[in-house]
Amino acid sequence: MKSTVFLVFLLLVAFAQAKIYQRCEWARVLKAHGMDGYYGHSLANWVCLSKWESDYNTEATNRNSDGSTDYGIFQINSRYWCEDYRTPHGKNVCGIQCSKLLTNNVGVAIQCAKRIVRDPNGIGAWVAWRRHCQNQDLSSYVAGCGV
């Protein structure tokens, strides 16, 4: 019985582990979740954004000077979008715990990114997108991926 419980525990831990995606693998995941053309933004924009925000790493975090933290593959900020129980006056617009953004279950992060892009700042809410992707030829981000 103990070995069965331990095995189930290991499987749960393995499922919750972070993942670092390869570029084309991530492009396929985004496409499967309806991100190609979502709110007028090409798949290449989303791949570029996540490359520069997290290097396709679901476990990426970044502490900001205002006391907030960016979480996950899209570096979603705790000041506005998720709850981390340590950011003062956080809004949690996506209605999620920030820790849910650090697993290989990227559906949560993608749903929150969809919510963010509908905000007035749109995809420009991501500094990395403005610095590295905006007004650039992004074809290389999906080249050879078959998407």
Side-chain angles (χ1 to χ4, degrees):
M1 177 65 176
K2 285 183 182 179
S3 63
T4 303
V5 171
F6 184 69
L7 181 59
V8 169
F9 173 76
L10 286 177
L11 288 172
L12 289 173
V13 169
F15 179 72
Q17 294 285 323
K19 178 170 179 61
I20 300 173
Y21 283 88
Q22 297 298 312
R23 178 180 58 85
C24 287
E25 177 187 21
W26 181 235
R28 288 188 290 275
V29 168
L30 289 169
K31 186 171 179 83
H33 280 85
M35 295 300 275
D36 191 13
Y38 188 79
Y39 243 66
H41 299 289
S42 70
L43 189 59
N45 274 283
W46 294 105
V47 175
C48 178
L49 180 156
S50 29
K51 164 64 179 169
W52 290 100
E53 286 289 354
S54 67
D55 206 17
Y56 312 125
N57 184 354
T58 65
E59 198 175 43
T61 60
N62 180 57
R63 189 89 166 141
N64 299 304
S65 59
D66 69 354
S68 69
T69 303
D70 300 329
Y71 291 89
I73 200 158
F74 292 112
Q75 290 293 276
I76 293 172
N77 185 267
S78 63
R79 169 85 51 225
Y80 304 102
W81 306 108
C82 64
E83 176 63 66
D84 68 358
Y85 304 103
R86 65 181 198 182
T87 301
H89 312 293
K91 299 192 184 324
N92 194 12
V93 174
C94 288
I96 57 172
Q97 294 177 10
C98 298
S99 61
K100 301 289 185 190
L101 300 169
L102 299 176
T103 72
N104 64 5
N105 178 10
V106 293
V108 174
I110 290 171
Q111 285 307 113
C112 188
K114 285 180 175 182
R115 169 58 189 89
I116 294 167
V117 80
R118 292 192 312 263
D119 204 57
N121 289 326
I123 202 166
W126 283 278
V127 173
W129 180 83
R130 292 192 317 262
R131 288 184 182 161
H132 300 283
C133 310
Q134 187 176 20
N135 301 320
Q136 300 297 315
D137 176 4
L138 304 178
S139 57
S140 63
Y141 287 93
V142 293
C145 297
V147 291

